[in-house]
Amino acid sequence: MGIVHQKVLLVFGQIGDPTQLRLDGNLTVSHHQDSFPPTNWPVYESRFKALVYLTPGPNRVRFDFTSPKLSSNTTSNPAHSSWLIINMVPLTSAPPLHLAIVLAKDSPGTFDAVPERIQREGNGLEIAIRKFRMAAHLWQAFTGEQMYRNRFGRRCFRFEEEWQEGTLSCRDHENGQMRNEAKIHIIRTDKTLHEMRGISQAQPHDKTKRKGELFGIALHAVKTHFKPIPGQKQYVSVLLIDSHWDKQTGTITGHAAFGGGAGDIQLAIFGSHALQSYPSSIEEVVPAFSDCTRTDANYVANDCGGLGSSWEAAITGIGAHLRETGHLFGYPDQESGVVLPDYVRLNRTFVCRESYSTRTKSPGLRLCLPRDECGWHRLACLRFRYHPCFRIPTDPPPNLDGSVQVWPIGNGSVMVTAPSGLAWIELHVGEDGCEAHIEYGNGSSSGGQQKETLLMESDLRNRLPEESRNKRLKLCIYSAGHGLRTVEDFTQFASKASVLKLANGQLAFRGSKLGLSELEDSKQQEVILESSIQQTKLLVQIKVYHSRALEGIEFVYEDFTSQLFGKRGRGASEGEFNLDTRKGEILIGFYVRAGPWIDGVEILTSLGRRSGVLGNPTGGSG
């Protein structure tokens, strides 16, 4: 099978030839050197899906099939067996996804559950940790399989791990088995339980006034706990264990579903209102995703009628939290895939037969095939392919310059270059989102990445649906170095309005606007360096004036004259950068960090020298 990089791997297949004979039965998975207890998986119509636990290095896994319709001997080697060798190489050079349970400072650490569940397995932190860990491994198994199906290899994210008593098998606790498993951080906020469950914070409530406050509370707690180093991103997916179903108001309090970035923390948060239905070990996955027990709204939520049975609650909670984790990795909503409610079909990835659905009021699929499953959108997989958390050992060293440069060259054409290589370009039309995209590279770790391309408006519009070809065209250009450049209106950018004739007769081209001009007194300004049109002018120094944002840039010449772009700013800091004109060093460009305004710039020269970012080096995006 080759090399994989995850501890729990999804394996699916068939027994014999289903077109000739369809068999029901049982598949027993025996792990390498008995490193994990054997697990059993149902076989329906000769199809099976199994989760296989792997240890670092080669794993020789045995699959034994039994069926009352087939004869088998009684020796230690059943008559119907297959072996699979899987090499698991743990990821150590990629940043991990941290898992955390956030709770109020006075929280008892319990989650909503019906009395029968509480009596059988409890509803405290110990079982919450086991269920959250298992859900996270299902995210990983699902995402790894989706990356493989999208031809990006066995690529996935990794977890921060620690040596602890194992929970991925239900038999680990009774055997006292220690394993290296995903660490779940327990983080208490500075808020009380009453504040965490404040009705106005509950996102699903129609009258909510402070939908983002729970995200802010969780973000502050996570920052205080992890203490991130400036410039070093941390990726954290949070379970809010204090979520609570308020039957009287029909509201899930203390719950919010958000995912995104805030400085050095990329954060996803989701409530625990469906946690009781999650599996807590590999052995419980199929039973949990097949359990038709009706939801008792006296104790637990049936949000919008979509959690009417235990299995539907489980896949909705796990899938919706996976969606927010996708947002954590920078992926926005698309017209299909996990980030939309396609996750209500997440169970089909792990079971071959679907149970009755209270949501659709219909029997489930008799046989769940890959075409029936939900999946990550292709653009999500592209984003993951180049994300630092998805790096694998065979990837070449990353190019730290993720910048993307675009400039018009006339005749409706635009040149695009990226030092780290081009990844993909999204074509957006009006407010309708991405309607087409162009991919670069083959998705594998081998081979170079294309670093430049010529874009022609006619070719781009021909890629769009016919009804969208005459609308305003916006491009989002992504580099392999995780950079992004947006061209808001391609037609205008590629038009004659972007062409400027210089005093010496040469043609120059205007670049696209950077920053959103949200600072007070912002205004548009442009400057043409005199050294570019007068051979007698020699640029010798560049001064950058900055405070919390860029104030201005001054270009100083050998004859002591200068040109000011922007302003010097009252009380602004001043950074000076001298060019080595004796070696013929000249200015070739700037690396710019921008968001609502221009946060900072870095000077780039023909000798490969860089000034370092002058201004805010972590503000905006590059």
Side-chain angles (χ1 to χ4, degrees):
M1 187 172 184
I3 297 175
V4 302
H5 306 285
Q6 62 207 71
K7 187 157 290 182
V8 179
L9 180 69
L10 174 65
V11 177
F12 64 97
Q14 61 189 43
I15 307 295
D17 186 356
T19 62
Q20 300 295 324
L21 179 63
R22 296 192 174 191
L23 297 169
D24 291 352
N26 178 78
L27 186 76
T28 300
V29 177
S30 300
H31 298 81
H32 183 65
Q33 296 179 340
D34 296 325
S35 58
F36 194 82
T39 55
N40 294 291
W41 305 90
V43 177
Y44 295 115
E45 300 184 26
S46 297
R47 307 278 182 170
F48 72 88
K49 295 177 182 179
L51 291 171
V52 179
Y53 181 92
L54 302 174
T55 56
N59 290 258
R60 193 165 184 255
V61 184
R62 192 178 78 197
F63 299 83
D64 299 324
F65 173 65
T66 57
S67 171
K69 294 183 179 180
L70 291 177
S71 62
S72 63
N73 59 29
T74 58
T75 66
S76 59
N77 293 316
H80 313 288
S81 298
S82 292
W83 295 85
L84 190 62
I85 297 178
I86 308 168
N87 191 14
M88 200 277 268
V89 178
L91 298 175
T92 57
S93 59
L97 174 65
H98 299 282
L99 304 174
I101 293 177
V102 168
L103 64 167
K105 62 182 180 181
D106 58 346
S107 170
T110 58
F111 57 90
D112 287 354
V114 298
E116 294 83 358
R117 284 269 190 177
I118 296 174
Q119 185 177 10
R120 186 170 75 245
E121 62 183 14
N123 66 333
L125 274 177
E126 182 182 351
I127 188 65
I129 289 172
R130 290 164 56 188
K131 287 175 177 286
F132 186 29
R133 180 180 291 127
M134 189 64 239
H137 277 286
L138 293 176
W139 300 344
Q140 188 188 54
F142 171 81
T143 301
E145 180 62 27
Q146 286 295 307
M147 295 298 286
Y148 180 73
R149 292 183 189 182
N150 277 273
R151 303 181 302 281
F152 292 127
R154 294 288 178 179
R155 188 182 295 270
C156 62
F157 53 86
R158 73 180 182 97
F159 300 116
E160 178 193 15
E161 295 186 333
E162 67 176 353
W163 186 250
Q164 58 191 311
E165 185 177 277
T167 68
L168 290 179
S169 171
C170 61
R171 282 164 279 184
D172 281 348
H173 177 69
E174 58 189 62
N175 296 331
Q177 178 67 51
M178 301 294 288
R179 299 188 190 278
N180 202 36
E181 291 188 350
K183 180 176 182 178
I184 309 293
H185 295 263
I186 306 300
I187 304 175
R188 289 194 178 268
T189 71
D190 57 359
K191 304 296 182 183
T192 66
L193 187 61
H194 178 73
E195 291 173 313
M196 292 287 286
R197 290 180 175 173
I199 196 69
S200 60
Q201 296 177 23
Q203 189 192 26
H205 196 261
D206 293 338
K207 298 180 181 179
T208 181
K209 301 294 184 184
R210 297 143 65 190
K211 287 186 176 181
E213 187 163 338
L214 271 174
F215 185 86
I217 292 171
L219 178 63
H220 176 73
V222 166
K223 280 186 175 180
T224 303
H225 178 81
F226 285 100
K227 299 179 176 60
I229 300 171
Q232 185 177 24
K233 282 189 178 295
Q234 300 278 359
Y235 304 87
V236 188
S237 192
V238 162
L239 177 72
L240 301 171
I241 200 171
D242 292 324
S243 301
H244 175 62
W245 169 242
D246 189 326
K247 180 183 175 183
Q248 291 184 335
T249 61
T251 305
I252 306 170
T253 63
H255 160 63
F258 282 111
D264 291 326
I265 296 288
Q266 295 293 122
L267 181 67
I269 65 173
F270 195 79
S272 64
H273 50 284
L275 187 62
Q276 72 148 6
S277 299
Y278 290 17
S280 61
S281 64
I282 288 177
E283 293 93 338
E284 292 182 7
V285 170
V286 171
F289 287 173
S290 307
D291 187 352
C292 291
T293 303
R294 294 296 187 265
T295 297
D296 189 343
N298 290 310
Y299 301 98
V300 291
N302 183 4
D303 188 24
C304 302
L307 315 181
S309 65
S310 183
W311 78 264
E312 289 170 299
I315 60 107
T316 299
I318 294 170
H321 200 165
L322 173 59
R323 173 190 64 188
E324 302 310 325
T325 303
H327 292 327
L328 171 160
F329 288 128
Y331 183 63
D333 287 327
Q334 284 293 343
E335 69 274 11
S336 66
V338 172
V339 289
L340 285 186
D342 281 7
Y343 58 72
V344 298
R345 297 183 286 121
L346 181 65
N347 59 304
R348 297 178 181 178
T349 298
F350 302 100
V351 297
C352 288
R353 181 161 293 172
E354 190 172 46
S355 297
Y356 177 86
S357 171
T358 62
R359 178 179 55 84
T360 62
K361 295 180 174 56
S362 63
L365 287 181
R366 181 174 176 82
L367 187 62
C368 300
L369 298 175
R371 65 173 179 266
D372 305 311
E373 301 170 8
C374 71
W376 282 114
H377 192 278
R378 175 68 180 180
L379 287 175
C381 294
L382 276 169
R383 194 177 296 264
F384 298 158
R385 161 62 183 88
Y386 296 101
H387 195 283
C389 287
F390 286 74
R391 286 187 54 78
I392 58 177
T394 54
D395 285 342
N399 189 323
L400 298 180
D401 185 358
S403 63
V404 179
Q405 293 82 37
V406 295
W407 63 89
I409 58 175
N411 299 320
S413 300
V414 169
M415 179 64 72
V416 181
T417 62
S420 62
L422 294 167
W424 76 97
I425 299 176
E426 296 178 2
L427 281 62
H428 295 251
V429 176
E431 303 300 325
D432 297 334
C434 179
E435 296 209 12
H437 71 279
I438 307 169
E439 299 179 22
Y440 297 89
N442 58 12
S444 68
S445 303
S446 60
Q449 197 81 18
Q450 184 175 339
K451 295 187 177 182
E452 66 177 48
T453 189
L454 179 66
L455 300 179
M456 301 182 64
E457 184 170 9
S458 58
D459 175 61
L460 295 177
R461 292 196 178 276
N462 285 336
R463 295 174 180 269
L464 297 171
E466 192 169 349
E467 65 273 12
S468 301
R469 292 178 181 174
N470 294 324
K471 297 181 180 179
R472 182 176 65 88
L473 177 60
K474 169 184 170 182
L475 299 188
C476 293
I477 307 169
Y478 294 85
S479 73
H482 220 224
L484 166 64
R485 185 67 179 274
T486 300
V487 178
E488 290 293 341
D489 188 334
F490 185 87
T491 300
Q492 182 180 13
F493 184 73
S495 68
K496 293 182 178 179
S498 296
V499 181
L500 179 68
K501 191 170 184 179
L502 301 179
N504 61 359
Q506 292 181 328
L507 296 180
F509 300 93
R510 291 185 175 91
S512 57
K513 175 184 173 181
L514 297 175
L516 301 178
S517 304
E518 292 185 4
L519 276 181
E520 188 177 354
D521 299 329
S522 289
K523 59 182 180 180
Q524 185 172 329
Q525 186 177 345
E526 66 181 22
V527 64
I528 299 172
L529 297 183
E530 294 176 355
S531 57
S532 66
I533 55 178
Q534 298 181 29
Q535 292 185 351
T536 56
K537 282 280 189 178
L538 182 63
L539 181 65
V540 296
Q541 186 184 64
I542 302 167
K543 297 180 179 180
V544 178
Y545 303 98
H546 59 89
S547 52
R548 67 187 181 99
L550 180 69
E551 300 283 351
I553 305 175
E554 187 172 10
F555 302 91
V556 182
Y557 297 100
E558 190 178 35
D559 60 3
F560 302 107
T561 61
S562 67
Q563 290 177 277
L564 181 63
F565 176 65
K567 57 185 179 181
R568 293 184 175 89
R570 184 177 301 176
S573 300
E574 178 183 324
E576 294 185 355
F577 187 84
N578 296 311
L579 297 172
D580 191 346
T581 55
R582 294 173 302 172
K583 295 182 179 179
E585 186 175 34
I586 61 174
L587 171 69
I588 62 170
F590 295 95
Y591 167 72
V592 182
R593 295 199 65 88
W597 47 78
I598 304 297
D599 292 272
V601 297
E602 182 177 35
I603 300 165
L604 312 177
T605 78
S606 58
L607 297 183
R609 288 203 302 145
R610 308 169 74 111
S611 65
V613 176
L614 301 170
N616 183 358
T618 60
S621 58

